[in-house]
Amino acid sequence: MTHMNGPHPELSERPAAYHCPQDGTRAPVEATAPWCCPACGGPWDLDFAAGAVELKSLAGRVGSLWRYAEALPLDGPPPVTLGEGRTPLVPLTGTVSAKLDFLMPTLSFKDRGAVVLAELARRLAPERVIADSSGNAGTSFAAYMARAGLPCTVYVPEATSPKKVEQIGAHGARVERVPGDREATARAARAAADAPGTFYASHVFNPYFLHGTKTYVYELWEDLGGRLPGAIVVPVGNGTLLLGAALATAELYEHGLIPERPALIAVQAEAVSPLATAFRAGADDPADAEAADTLAEGIAIPRPPRGRQILRAVRESGGTFLTVTESQIRAAQRDLAGRGLFVESTGVACWAAVTASPEVLGGREAVVPLCGAGLKTGLAAG
């Protein structure tokens, strides 16, 4: 596992430690911590008690996700920031609104997690940073590691959108194209991550990323005047946005800031839907699935490492899973473009789901994320 040399300043006055949700293994959050559980190889969770964010205290705070400082696991003024967060909430129908996370600095919601993980990396002072991605996470890490002054290599599948690859390289990151699918890319990156002096900026294995994505829900709560909609609809591949949403709703509820937790409605592409299949079968683990071509490439994950956590989070919220077809994705992208919102094909999956299955909302107010800009991939053919 990864061990880094060199200085590693004190991270925070707030106690935090990695722990494995599968077997209870623990590790301190420091430069020598392994990037995954050394006992089972699974992803880490974080032992961290978020403080209450009082709504009335937010007026006049910094206009980025760092405004929710009490809920974040890193203390002190954050030098790594591009003004991420505070994206608009726009109504689409009488009950469904869209949060425009494609207006983030690198044009995707992944900036929420990348900025927190980049700040952690800056404090750990590694020799190099490794990341893997189907595109959007890679562009986020490339930008934020550049902002942090850290050399970064991003592993991507060979079929990744040329526009995303160009964006990664423009930020100064080295791009490693990997033959094969998204899982082959992850394996290549994880092998490289074991080299001494390397920080593996994994949006799947490192829980600091989830504590960044949870700010999506904190913003909803603030924008809606201290409440949340009855349903939060999120796309799910590796589940980073959904698990961040589950963290935030739990924290807000535990602090008495919302009366009940909203239902989490998870959306997968029908072509690659191991979690939706498992949910419908009442299983605790993702179903067997194979890689397949889909317009929703960003959520086409056959074997998500946090699959058990995702399924549990959806069930505990009283939510459900929906799947969308390729034709529904194409129609949703064009529909949104006709409303003035040009979103990449993965990013329209939730709107495709609620328009195809409106009955799942049961009349509840709902919010869908528009996760990535259409300029990253263009308009889906067909």
Side-chain angles (χ1 to χ4, degrees), residues 222-250:
E222 182 182 0
D223 290 342
L224 295 173
R227 64 179 184 86
L228 288 175
I232 296 175
V233 190
V234 287
V236 174
N238 278 310
T240 55
L241 184 55
L242 184 138
L243 291 172
L247 274 173
T249 57

Side-chain angles (χ1 to χ4, degrees), residues 328-345:
Q328 288 169 342
I329 292 170
R330 290 189 189 93
Q333 189 185 37
R334 284 168 169 75
D335 177 65
L336 285 170
R339 297 167 183 258
L341 301 167
F342 187 30
V343 184
E344 69 171 331
S345 49

Side-chain angles (χ1 to χ4, degrees), residues 299-382:
I299 54 174
I301 309 296
R303 284 168 283 279
R306 293 187 184 270
R308 288 178 66 91
Q309 289 177 274
I310 296 165
L311 288 163
R312 185 170 60 250
V314 173
R315 289 185 174 119
E316 289 178 351
S317 77
T320 191
F321 272 82
L322 299 173
T323 58
V324 290
T325 66
E326 302 304 292
S327 61
Q328 288 169 342
I329 292 170
R330 290 189 189 93
Q333 189 185 37
R334 284 168 169 75
D335 177 65
L336 285 170
R339 297 167 183 258
L341 301 167
F342 187 30
V343 184
E344 69 171 331
S345 49
T346 296
V348 306
C350 292
W351 178 239
V354 299
T355 52
S357 305
E359 69 281 356
V360 77
L361 298 180
R364 292 173 294 190
E365 180 186 13
V367 173
V368 300
L370 303 183
C371 298
L375 294 175
K376 285 175 171 278
T377 56
L379 194 64

